[in-house]
Amino acid sequence: MAALFRGSRNLLLGGTKHVDLAFVSSRSMASKTPIGFVGLGNMGSPMAKNLLRNGYPVIATDVFPESCKELQDMGAQVVDSPADVAEKADRILTMLPSSPNVIEVYTGPNGILKKVKKGTLLIDSSTIDPAVSREMAVAAEKMGAVFMDAPVSGGVGAASLAKLTFMVGGAEEEYNAAQELLTCMGANVVYCGGVGTGQAAKICNNMLLAIGMIGTAETMNLGIRLGLDPKLLAKILNMSSGRCWSSDTYNPAPGVMEGVPSANNYQGGFGTTLMAKDLGLAQNTATNTKTPIPLGSLAHQIFRVMCARGYANKDFSSVFQFLREEEGQ
C-alpha cells in the first residue's frame, strides 16, 4: 500500500522546504533509545506503559502531574514540560484531546518546537483537524524535525492490550521508523499517505462508529420495548446482517455484555464529549469539501445534546440510556 503514495517530501508536506531525510532516517537504527511521551490521559498512559514494557526508556510529561505518577513508578523519567521532553529525546509521541492542545504542546512557550533537536521524529496520535496536522508538519520542518500524524482506533481496552490500530500520515521514508514504535502499542499500523491522511481516515471511522452506535442503541431499545430479551436480541443481530462492532463488541444495552461501559453505568471508555468533538471535525471537513453527510450531521447533533444533558463524561454508548430517557418526554 505504501508504494501507492511514493513521492517527494514536497508533495507530502504541501510544497514546504526539504528536510535531510538521510539524516533523520538513521533513527531506524537507534533502537531502544529514550522515547518522549506527552499526554498521559486515558489513552496516552497505557500506550506509554507498553513502550516501557517493550524495553524503551520513556521521558514523559502531562499538564496534570498526578497523571505521571503510575508511569514514574514503572521507571519512566518525568519532566516539567514538552520542551524538556524535546531536549532529552529525538523520538516523541503526543496523545492530546484536541487541536488547540496540540498547537500549544508543539508551538507554545514551553512547546516541543522550542527545544526540538534536528532530525527528531514527532508522532502525534491525537485526533485533530487534518489542517492542523499539516500546520504542525510545516512548523516542525522549519526546525529540521519530521512530523507525522498517527491517530488511533480501538479505545482504552485496546490501548491497554497493545491492540490499537494506527492510521499514519507523513513522509513515506519515515514510516518504518514510526512503525517500529507504533507496533509496540498496536496490532495494526497502516500507512495512509501524506501528512493529514491519518486524521482523515480516523475522522471517517469515528463518524461511522457514531452512526452505528446510535443505530444499535435505537435497535436494542425498540426490541426491548417489543418484549424481546436484550441478550437474545443481541445474539440474533450478531448472527444476522445487522451485525456491527457496536452490537457484537461494545453493546450499549446494560446486561448484554461484561467488560464494556454499559455494564458499568457507562463509566470509562470513549467519552461523549470526545465523540462530539470528532463529529465536529467530520462536520467541518465535510463543509470544507462540500460533502453531504446527513447521518453524520444528525449524529453530531445528538451527541452535542447529550453533552448538554449530563452525558458529557459518560461513554458514548450511553446514547442508549439517553434514548430511553427521551421516551418519557
Side-chain angles (χ1 to χ4, degrees), residues 37 54 123 165 180 249 254 329:
F37 208 108
N54 277 274
I123 304 173
T165 292
E180 177 196 334
T249 303
Q329 296 185 16

Side-chain angles (χ1 to χ4, degrees), residues 43-123:
M43 293 294 290
S45 181
M47 289 168 66
K49 288 176 186 176
N50 282 325
L51 287 172
L52 283 169
R53 292 186 184 111
N54 277 274
Y56 289 94
V58 171
I59 300 166
T61 193
D62 190 274
V63 68
F64 299 108
E66 60 272 19
S67 300
C68 303
K69 188 178 186 312
E70 202 172 340
L71 205 66
Q72 191 172 30
D73 291 344
M74 290 180 65
Q77 179 183 351
V78 174
V79 295
D80 292 333
S81 72
D84 293 338
V85 172
E87 198 170 29
K88 296 175 180 292
D90 63 6
R91 292 181 291 179
I92 301 171
L93 286 101
T94 51
M95 179 52 112
L96 304 160
S98 66
S99 295
N101 299 118
V102 170
I103 292 169
E104 176 68 18
V105 161
Y106 278 91
T107 66
N110 293 307
I112 289 169
L113 297 183
K114 289 296 180 184
K115 293 187 178 179
V116 71
K117 294 179 280 189
K118 183 178 179 182
T120 295
L121 176 62
L122 306 169
I123 304 173

Side-chain angles (χ1 to χ4, degrees), residues 12 14 23 30 55 130 133 140 160 170 196 219 251 254 269 314 323:
L12 291 168
F23 178 79
S133 291
S160 298
T219 298
N251 199 286
K314 289 179 179 279
L323 292 171

Side-chain angles (χ1 to χ4, degrees), residues 4-56:
L4 294 174
F5 299 98
R6 212 175 297 279
S8 69
R9 279 284 286 158
N10 279 356
L11 281 175
L12 291 168
L13 287 178
T16 51
K17 293 181 180 178
H18 180 75
V19 167
D20 184 356
L21 288 170
F23 178 79
V24 293
S25 292
S26 65
R27 271 189 312 278
S28 60
M29 305 299 293
S31 191
K32 302 297 175 74
T33 56
I35 307 301
F37 208 108
V38 181
L40 301 173
N42 289 338
M43 293 294 290
S45 181
M47 289 168 66
K49 288 176 186 176
N50 282 325
L51 287 172
L52 283 169
R53 292 186 184 111
N54 277 274
Y56 289 94

